[in-house]
Structure formats: C-alpha cells, structure tokens
Amino acid sequence: MRRSRIEIAKELIITQMNHWFYISIALTALCLFNSTEPYMLLCICMGILPVYGFVLREKIKVFPLFLLLSVGPAVVFFILPLRDSYAKALMVVFAIVYAVYSIYLRTKTEKGLEAAISPVVAFCVSGGLFILQNSQREVPWDRYYILAAVVYFAGFLIQYFLTHFLTFITVNDSSASNIPERAIFETGIKQTILFTVAVTVFLALVGNIDWLASLLGQIKSVIVEFISKYLQFTPEQGADLSYIGTRLETGAGGFFDNPPEPALIWVILQYVAIVAVMGGLIAVACYAVIKGYQVLSKGFNKVQKGKEQRLAENDDIHEQVEILRKEREKGKNIFDAFTITERIRKVYRKRMEKERFTLVKDGDLHSLSYLTAKESCERINAQGLMLAYEKARYSNANCTNEDLKAAKN
C-alpha cells in the first residue's frame, strides 16, 4: 500500500467535491443571466479542468511552460466556433478560474494542493444561492442544486476518511507498535463507501420534493379512509367527519395548499438574504482579482521547496536556511560550515536521506521528520553516527576528527 497513491486519490476527490460546489455557483449565474438551460452535463465535464491543473502542478517544473499550459484551455474554449454563447461563456469562465487558482497553488503554496471547502461554507453559500435563484426566476432547477450538494457531501465523507487515515499512519510510524495499516485501510474504506452510498441515497430520496409530496399525499388518503370507515361516530360527529374528509381530500387545509401571502418580515428577510449573497459574491470576485494580481506580479520567481527542504520540519534532519542566514547576519563566520561540527551534521543529514526507505515506509519525508536521532540511528544500526551527531548537535564540546570518522563509519 503506497501512501503516495492515497495522497493522489485524496487530492483528486477534493478537486471533484469542490467542483460540485462551484456548479451551484454556475447555476445561479446562468439563472441571473436569463439562461433557459442549466448546462448540467457541460458543468460536470468541466470537472476535468482541476484534474488537469493538478497534473500540471505535479509534472511541469518550468514555469513559463506551466503558465502557458494553464491558460491554454481558456484560449482554446474562447476560439471554439460555438453558436451557444452561454455554453461558450461557461467554458471560458471555468477555464480562467481554474487556471488562476492553479497558478496560485503552484506559486504561493508549498505543496501545491487544493484545500477542501468546509461543509459549513459549502452548504451555507449553496443555500443562499438557491434562495437567490428562486427569488429571481421560476425555473425547475431545484434538483440540480440538490444533486450538487449530495455529490459534494459524498466526496467530503471519503476525503475525510483518507485525510485522517494518512494522519494515523504518520503517527503510527513514530510509535513502537506494529498496526496492520493495509487491513485497517481496506476495512475502513469499505465501511466509508458503504456509509457514503447509504447517506447519498437517503439524501437523494429526501431531496426529491415530488416523491416526498406523493408519499405524504398517499399517507393523507389512508388517514382519511381509516377515519371514515373504522371509527364510530354519532350522526352529528359523522357530519363533521364528512366535512373534515372533504377538506382533506380536496386539499383544503392540507400540506400542499397554495400558501397565503407572506408576512412583511419574511419579505424583508428575503431581500436581506439577496443583498447579503450579492455582497458576498462581489467580495469574492474582488478578492479573486486582488489575489490573482499578487500571484502574477510577485509569485513567478518563487522557488518551491524540494525534498531536502521538506526535512526542515525537524531540525535534527535539515537546518533551516533562514536560521543560518540570520546567524550569519549576527556575525557568524561563514567558514563555520567547514568545521568538523558542521561536517558531522552534514554527514548525518545525507545518511538519513539515503536511508529514508529503511527508516519509514515509502520513504515519506514528512514521517521521517518525527524520528529523533536516536530512533533513526538505532534502526540502521549506526551507533557511532548517533553519538557523534548528538555531540555536535546538542553539546558545547569541540568535535574531533575521531568523531567525524565515527560518524562516517
């Protein structure tokens, strides 16, 4: 079981669950621009764009080429000879948004991975967009909002399990116990998928308003028949029962009557919700423009951290560049890097990187950072290296050539 594959699977699931949240935004935009079609199939197909961006961030190391390939889909969609202006605009906007976001992840974050949108944010924003859409136009798009929310929630459940499983195996590596990770993963993912399917089906059934209305109508009919046939009443009560049954069967006073005119407070709250949603959308748009400008103006020359710099999470493995720089600024001699002490620490770092596949599973650098010098050297049977490194790293004693030889042996 390779952790890198689990990491990739988690990232791909996050991209898709976030994309379904963006679909609800696209539906609202189409409604506000008076589109007669929701273009649901096209929106789903646009889910390939975040996957494409993830591949570019992982494989392309030359920034000009990465930038060109990132904006390529937007250019291609723009020059496509499509007669449907709504479909073309939808494709171009999706491509531009994902290109800008991918460039931001590549230039402003260490790992270049997309973060999962919080369920609270997703459902609150989607609910506000749903209210906005219904207040502006009467279009039968409710089921698409429900579908987007259900698929998002299903993806969130699976990525939640994968995220916590990766955390578990990282902690497990630093412990002395030997827990069967593969068996736990297989059992956990089966139960997670089973639970996700069950919850998804339940939400889909509950979200189907027509189905729910039909079921309640049948229940109402059964209640009317039971009251009229099996309960005993006096003649006066029978008359009243007939009146009640007529009202139930004709819908008077039932569940699905035409509602009366809303109270003034609900009208006010509706307009408040509309203003809040529109203000939020404007704020998000302004934030996206500002961040995009910052990325394009300042982020191009940023060099991502490599494997060795990821070891900086633990000072026993890798020394922070910034720390060394500050020490030099304080007056530290630059030639200290050639002292026996620094040479011993350099030998240790190289040895740990070389033996990382022996020390931790899959050679994961993040897991390696949890190991102390003693734990690492005991696993590779390097007692001399441990003693020399601890002397160089933690004591004020002067290291000798004998300590350097012990570290190398």
Side-chain angles (χ1 to χ4, degrees), residues 231-288:
L231 295 183
Q232 300 296 326
F233 290 92
T234 61
E236 292 78 10
Q237 291 172 327
D240 293 338
L241 177 62
S242 175
Y243 171 72
I244 295 173
T246 302
R247 285 178 57 83
L248 289 174
E249 290 176 352
T250 56
F255 293 110
F256 306 106
D257 293 343
N258 293 326
E261 291 295 327
L264 179 61
I265 183 63
W266 296 113
V267 176
I268 296 175
L269 289 177
Q270 178 181 348
Y271 283 105
V272 170
I274 294 173
V275 172
V277 171
M278 293 299 296
L281 292 176
I282 294 174
V284 170
C286 294
Y287 178 80

Side-chain angles (χ1 to χ4, degrees), residues 170-197:
T170 300
V171 176
N172 184 45
D173 286 340
S174 61
S175 65
S177 58
N178 185 15
I179 301 177
E181 298 175 2
R182 188 181 188 89
I184 292 177
F185 176 79
E186 292 178 353
T187 303
I189 194 64
K190 289 178 182 178
Q191 295 178 355
T192 301
I193 292 176
L194 180 62
F195 176 77
T196 302
V197 171

Side-chain angles (χ1 to χ4, degrees), residues 336-395:
D336 287 346
F338 301 100
T339 62
I340 295 178
T341 299
E342 294 299 326
R343 290 169 65 185
I344 291 175
R345 297 172 75 169
K346 185 176 181 181
V347 169
Y348 175 81
R349 292 194 296 269
K350 288 186 176 181
R351 182 70 180 277
M352 292 304 104
E353 183 179 0
K354 181 179 179 181
E355 300 287 349
R356 66 181 188 273
F357 289 99
T358 303
L359 294 171
V360 295
K361 295 182 179 179
D362 294 336
D364 183 54
L365 299 177
H366 182 69
S367 302
L368 184 60
S369 65
Y370 286 95
L371 298 179
T372 63
K374 181 179 179 181
E375 292 173 336
S376 301
C377 293
E378 286 179 350
R379 294 187 182 185
I380 61 176
N381 194 21
Q383 189 71 17
L385 175 60
M386 181 191 71
L387 296 176
Y389 178 76
E390 289 181 345
K391 181 178 179 181
R393 179 71 173 85
Y394 302 109
S395 71

Side-chain angles (χ1 to χ4, degrees), residues 16-62:
Q16 294 308 298
M17 59 173 277
N18 288 350
H19 178 71
W20 280 91
F21 166 70
Y22 302 143
I23 286 178
S24 63
I25 300 178
L27 290 173
T28 306
L30 289 171
C31 175
L32 296 179
F33 283 97
N34 297 321
S35 173
T36 57
E37 295 291 335
Y39 298 98
M40 197 62 185
L41 181 59
L42 179 59
C43 289
I44 296 174
C45 293
M46 290 295 100
I48 194 64
L49 293 176
V51 178
Y52 173 74
F54 171 73
V55 174
L56 291 183
R57 294 193 298 272
E58 290 294 317
K59 300 298 183 182
I60 306 300
K61 305 303 180 183
V62 180

Side-chain angles (χ1 to χ4, degrees), residues 5-19:
R5 295 180 179 178
I6 300 178
E7 286 279 4
I8 293 175
K10 184 194 73 171
E11 176 63 16
L12 294 179
I13 292 174
I14 289 177
T15 61
Q16 294 308 298
M17 59 173 277
N18 288 350
H19 178 71

Side-chain angles (χ1 to χ4, degrees), residues 66 83 143 300 306 400:
F66 168 77
R83 295 183 178 179
R143 59 183 179 273
F300 286 161
T400 63

